[in-house]
Amino acid sequence: MTIFLFPVLAVLLLAGCATPRAQVPTAVYDFGLEQPFIASGATDKSSNPPHLFTSLLVAATSPAWLDNPTIQYRLVYHDPARSYTYANSRWAAAPATLLTQRVKGYIAGVSNERVVSAGDGVRADYILRLELEEFTQIFDTPHQSRAVIRLRASLIERSTRSLLAQRSFSTEQAAPTANAAGAVRGLTEASDKLIENLISWLAEKLPEEAKELAENP
């Protein structure tokens, strides 16, 4: 009897190995719908200086490790120099691309200007170059994390390629949950906070530069 059981068990084991594992669907995230936004120091659109420049081109870049749609996180309590990615969650596009669209939308919402990106094929008077340096969920403990974004912004006069202003921006936001969904929410809120600071900075720099150009054509 025992002799006949071995072939049966072998068939059952092979059948088990051949059964495909259930595929876990990948969750795809973006920044969601834009919220009504007013830059610091501006109460409404009419308070912003109208038509100080013809158009602004927004272009964002990132290092190779961020130039993909993965959602990155770090376990600083374990190894702060190492980054990880969530297996079944990702962004709808690379973070620099999502950030470019978010910046364009918000700037257009608080100004009378045309805001374009490099792929639009439109000539612009100014370039806002964003160099993304960090866009990560940071775990300080296994159950506590925060979203961290760092970038350098450069304002360039298009016709002369002159650097008019440059500044580094950094912001953090507590992640509500210690998972990919928490990373997305934290990074989205951190992005909006950073963009508010970015727009306030532009509001200071662009009118000043436009006035100088008008006085010294």
Side-chain angles (χ1 to χ4, degrees):
M1 176 71 72
T2 304
I3 297 176
F4 293 104
L5 287 176
F6 285 112
V8 175
L9 290 173
V11 171
L12 291 175
L13 288 172
L14 288 173
C17 293
T19 303
R21 295 183 179 180
Q23 293 291 327
V24 178
T26 299
V28 180
Y29 296 94
D30 57 22
F31 289 164
L33 298 176
E34 293 179 8
Q35 301 299 316
F37 179 87
I38 298 177
S40 299
T43 55
D44 53 46
K45 290 184 179 181
S46 62
S47 66
N48 292 300
H51 301 295
L52 292 172
F53 53 93
T54 302
S55 58
L56 176 71
L57 186 149
V58 181
T61 61
S62 62
W65 67 275
L66 269 178
D67 193 19
N68 58 75
T70 58
I71 301 175
Q72 307 269 350
Y73 65 94
R74 296 182 187 272
L75 308 177
V76 296
Y77 62 88
H78 173 63
D79 186 354
R82 183 176 177 182
S83 64
Y84 303 83
T85 61
Y86 285 103
N88 298 307
S89 300
R90 64 175 179 84
W91 295 110
T97 300
L98 294 176
L99 194 62
T100 297
Q101 295 302 317
R102 196 74 157 185
V103 170
K104 285 174 57 180
Y106 278 146
I107 292 178
V110 296
S111 73
N112 297 321
E113 317 304 342
R114 291 179 293 163
V115 186
V116 299
S117 58
D120 294 333
V122 178
R123 185 175 181 83
D125 292 328
Y126 290 90
I127 301 172
L128 175 62
R129 180 170 295 158
L130 306 176
E131 298 173 72
L132 193 59
E133 299 171 345
E134 190 78 28
F135 196 86
T136 316
Q137 181 184 24
I138 304 294
F139 281 86
D140 297 302
T141 72
H143 306 292
Q144 185 177 9
S145 65
R146 53 197 164 93
V148 176
I149 303 175
R150 292 201 304 269
L151 62 78
R152 181 168 62 249
S154 303
L155 182 62
I156 300 169
E157 206 280 317
R158 183 74 177 268
S159 62
T160 63
R161 309 299 295 183
S162 300
L163 178 64
L164 304 178
Q166 189 175 73
R167 179 180 166 183
S168 292
F169 291 84
S170 178
T171 188
E172 296 186 8
Q173 177 68 39
T177 55
N179 54 18
V184 169
R185 182 172 172 183
L187 287 165
T188 299
E189 293 178 1
S191 295
D192 288 345
K193 288 169 57 177
L194 187 146
I195 293 171
E196 180 177 1
N197 294 332
L198 179 65
I199 290 177
S200 296
W201 175 70
L202 283 174
E204 295 174 0
K205 297 301 178 182
L206 282 172
E208 178 182 337
E209 296 301 334
K211 181 178 178 180
E212 291 179 1
L213 290 173
E215 294 175 349
N216 304 284

